[in-house]
C-alpha cells in the first residue's frame, strides 16, 4: 500500500504543470504580443519574435580581435538582460549580444533574461530593485558584484563595451 501511495504521489507531482515564469500579453500600443517575465532564449523562436531576432543575429559580425580579449575574462561573469520584446533597441541589441556570446562559447545558463512591459515592470518585481530606466539593459556580475551595464545602446560597439566591463576588477 505504501508503494502504491508513493507511486500515486509521483504521478500527481509529475502532472502538476510547471509554474510559468512569464506571460504573453497584448501590447496596447502596437496591439501585438509581448513577453513579460523571466524567459529563455527559446522564446525568440516563436514567430512573433523570430523574424527580428534571427535576422539581427545572422547579420551581426562582431570583431574577432575584441572577442579574443573578451574570452579571457568573461568565463566567471554572469549576465542579466532586461529587455522589451516591443522595443526596437532590444530587438537590435539582444540578438547581437547572443551572437557575441555564442561566438565565445559562453554557457546559456549564465544569462538571465527578463522581459518587461512598457513601464519596465516584470511579473516578479525583480526589475524594481535593478533600477531599470531604459531597455535593453545588460548587467554584468562577477561573484555577485555588479561590474557594469550597457543601457539601451553601446557607447562604442557591443563587444568593445563588454570588453571594457569584463576587464574591470
Amino acid at each position: 500500500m505504501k508503494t502504491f501511495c508513493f507511486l500515486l504521489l509521483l504521478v500527481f507531482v509529475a502532472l502538476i504543470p510547471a509554474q510559468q515564469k512569464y506571460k504573453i500579453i497584448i501590447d496596447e500600443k502596437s496591439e501585438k504580443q509581448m513577453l513579460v517575465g523571466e524567459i529563455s532564449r527559446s522564446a525568440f523562436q516563436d514567430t512573433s519574435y523570430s523574424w527580428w531576432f534571427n535576422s539581427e543575429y545572422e547579420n551581426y559580425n562582431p570583431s574577432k580581435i575584441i572577442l579574443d580579449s573578451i574570452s579571457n575574462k568573461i568565463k566567471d561573469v554572469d549576465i542579466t538582460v532586461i529587455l522589451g520584446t516591443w522595443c526596437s533597441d532590444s530587438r537590435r541589441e539582444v540578438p547581437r549580444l547572443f551572437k557575441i556570446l555564442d561566438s565565445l562559447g559562453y554557457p546559456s545558463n549564465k544569462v538571465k533574461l527578463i522581459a518587461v512591459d512598457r513601464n519596465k515592470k516584470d511579473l516578479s518585481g525583480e526589475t524594481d530593485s535593478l533600477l531599470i530606466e531604459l531597455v535593453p539593459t545588460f548587467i554584468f556580475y562577477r561573484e555577485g558584484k555588479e561590474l557594469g551595464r550597457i543601457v539601451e545602446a553601446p557607447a562604442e560597439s557591443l563587444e568593445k563595451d563588454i570588453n571594457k566591463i569584463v576587464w574591470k576588477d
Side-chain angles (χ1 to χ4, degrees):
M1 183 65 172
K2 286 182 183 178
T3 304
F4 175 74
C5 289
F6 179 72
L7 289 174
L8 186 61
L9 178 64
L10 283 177
V11 170
F12 178 73
V13 169
L15 293 176
I16 296 173
Q19 184 179 4
Q20 197 169 18
K21 294 183 176 183
Y22 70 92
K23 286 185 180 178
I24 298 172
I25 61 175
I26 301 300
D27 178 14
E28 291 179 10
K29 185 173 181 181
S30 69
E31 298 181 352
K32 295 185 179 184
Q33 289 185 354
M34 100 174 127
L35 297 171
V36 178
E38 189 174 337
I39 62 173
S40 68
R41 181 176 174 177
S42 64
F44 298 126
Q45 294 315 306
D46 179 283
T47 55
S48 297
Y49 317 106
S50 63
W51 65 270
W52 55 263
F53 185 92
N54 294 340
S55 173
E56 193 64 48
Y57 181 95
E58 293 301 323
N59 290 323
Y60 190 63
N61 294 307
S63 165
K64 292 185 185 335
I65 293 170
I66 298 171
L67 289 178
D68 288 342
S69 178
I70 294 170
S71 69
N72 295 326
K73 292 293 279 190
I74 200 165
K75 294 174 185 154
D76 63 343
V77 172
D78 294 301
I79 305 169
T80 297
V81 175
I82 313 301
L83 69 124
T85 55
W86 45 269
C87 168
S88 61
D89 294 321
S90 292
R91 292 177 176 187
R92 180 187 64 246
E93 299 302 334
V94 172
R96 290 178 177 188
L97 174 68
F98 277 107
K99 181 76 170 253
I100 291 168
L101 297 177
D102 290 349
S103 298
L104 295 168
Y106 186 83
S108 60
N109 66 339
K110 292 181 63 113
V111 179
K112 184 174 190 176
L113 293 167
I114 303 173
V116 295
D117 63 18
R118 289 184 180 270
N119 295 316
K120 317 307 182 291
K121 302 292 181 189
D122 66 311
L123 295 179
S124 69
E126 184 174 353
T127 56
D128 294 342
S129 66
L130 297 174
L131 305 174
I132 302 301
E133 295 181 12
L134 299 168
V135 290
T137 297
F138 305 148
I139 309 172
F140 299 83
Y141 298 94
R142 183 175 286 126
E143 298 177 3
K145 180 183 175 202
E146 184 175 325
L147 295 173
R149 296 178 177 209
I150 298 173
V151 178
E152 193 174 29
E156 293 183 62
S157 73
L158 199 49
E159 58 270 27
K160 285 181 180 178
D161 289 11
I162 292 169
N163 191 48
K164 287 178 182 175
I165 291 169
V166 299
W167 278 92
K168 290 181 181 177
D169 286 326

